[in-house]
């Protein structure tokens, strides 16, 4: 397992953490979360994923870039940490609800199961009511549904 220093990539505070025990081996969970195009099968509101730039070795790991159609928004993401099968981190270029965003999906073996921890670091953007809705309703709801879908897919 590689060490990942979040502060090398963002100074934003941790805003949301979701944890889930998935009753599947870590290799199975990794296979699902590491499949960029397969995100459409478990991540709510992701309608399409384009892989736009491979890493220096022509692979789709650390350094690659993807564009995710998230509802009406196009999220331009860069993978900044890639550690099979223990997780990865991605940055999203500033979008209307958040800026200086970094997300980290960390997987840990837990017997025959996998503990997944998903952290979201960002600075809220926009007017106060929209910031509150993003942090307290929208993002936690999307993340919780994603983890529920991921759990079903891994079973």
């Amino acid at each position: 397992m590689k060490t990942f220093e979040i502060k090398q990539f963002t100074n934003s505070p941790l805003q949301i953490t979701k944890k889930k025990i998935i009753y599947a081996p870590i290799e199975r969970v990794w296979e699902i979360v590491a499949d960029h195009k397969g995100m459409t099968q478990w991540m709510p509101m992701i309608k399409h994923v384009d892989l736009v730039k491979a890493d220096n070795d022509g692979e789709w790991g650390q350094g690659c870039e993807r564009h995710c159609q998230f509802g009406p928004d196009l999220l331009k993401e860069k993978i900044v940490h890639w550690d099979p099968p223990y997780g990865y981190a991605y940055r999203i270029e500033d979008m209307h609800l958040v800026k200086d965003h970094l997300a980290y999906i960390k997987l840990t073996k837990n017997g025959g199961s996998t503990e997944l921890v998903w952290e979201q670091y960002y600075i809220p953007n926009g007017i106060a009511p929209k910031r509150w809705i993003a942090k307290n309703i929208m993002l936690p709801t999307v993340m919780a549904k994603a983890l529920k879908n991921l759990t079903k897919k891994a079973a």
Side-chain angles (χ1 to χ4, degrees):
M1 178 184 257
K2 295 182 199 174
T3 301
F4 178 58
E5 297 294 334
I6 290 161
K7 292 301 178 187
Q8 288 183 341
F9 297 95
T10 185
N11 288 318
S12 293
L14 175 62
Q15 298 282 358
I16 304 169
T17 300
K18 290 284 184 188
K19 295 180 182 182
K20 181 83 173 176
I21 298 294
I22 300 173
Y23 297 101
I26 193 170
E27 295 81 10
R28 172 70 180 134
V29 178
W30 173 256
E31 177 183 294
I32 297 167
V33 299
D35 177 8
H36 301 294
K37 288 191 171 272
M39 287 174 59
T40 59
Q41 298 173 19
W42 61 274
M43 183 68 180
M45 298 178 61
I46 297 283
K47 302 297 180 209
H48 186 74
V49 177
D50 284 320
L51 299 174
V52 296
K53 182 182 174 195
D55 64 18
N56 291 336
D57 297 325
E59 301 291 326
W60 297 102
Q62 187 168 328
C64 80
E65 296 177 19
R66 65 188 183 195
H67 290 176
C68 301
Q69 190 65 49
F70 181 74
D73 297 321
L74 181 65
L75 305 180
K76 296 178 180 179
E77 301 181 351
K78 181 172 185 172
I79 305 301
V80 297
H81 173 74
W82 191 260
D83 185 19
Y86 301 107
Y88 72 94
Y90 60 95
R91 286 187 53 82
I92 300 176
E93 289 183 12
D94 293 350
M95 53 187 196
H96 68 281
L97 288 177
V98 303
K99 59 185 178 180
D100 195 21
H101 175 276
L102 177 99
Y104 182 27
I105 296 173
K106 182 169 56 172
L107 306 176
T108 306
K109 287 182 185 182
N110 186 347
S113 299
T114 304
E115 179 182 49
L116 185 147
V117 177
W118 190 358
E119 299 173 335
Q120 298 270 355
Y121 297 81
Y122 62 86
I123 297 170
N125 205 9
I127 60 173
K130 285 186 179 181
R131 290 194 310 257
W132 187 90
I133 289 169
K135 180 179 179 183
N136 296 291
I137 298 173
M138 191 192 91
L139 289 173
T141 300
V142 167
M143 291 170 71
K145 183 149 176 72
L147 292 177
K148 183 178 179 183
N149 293 343
L150 179 61
T151 300
K152 283 183 188 174
K153 185 164 177 57

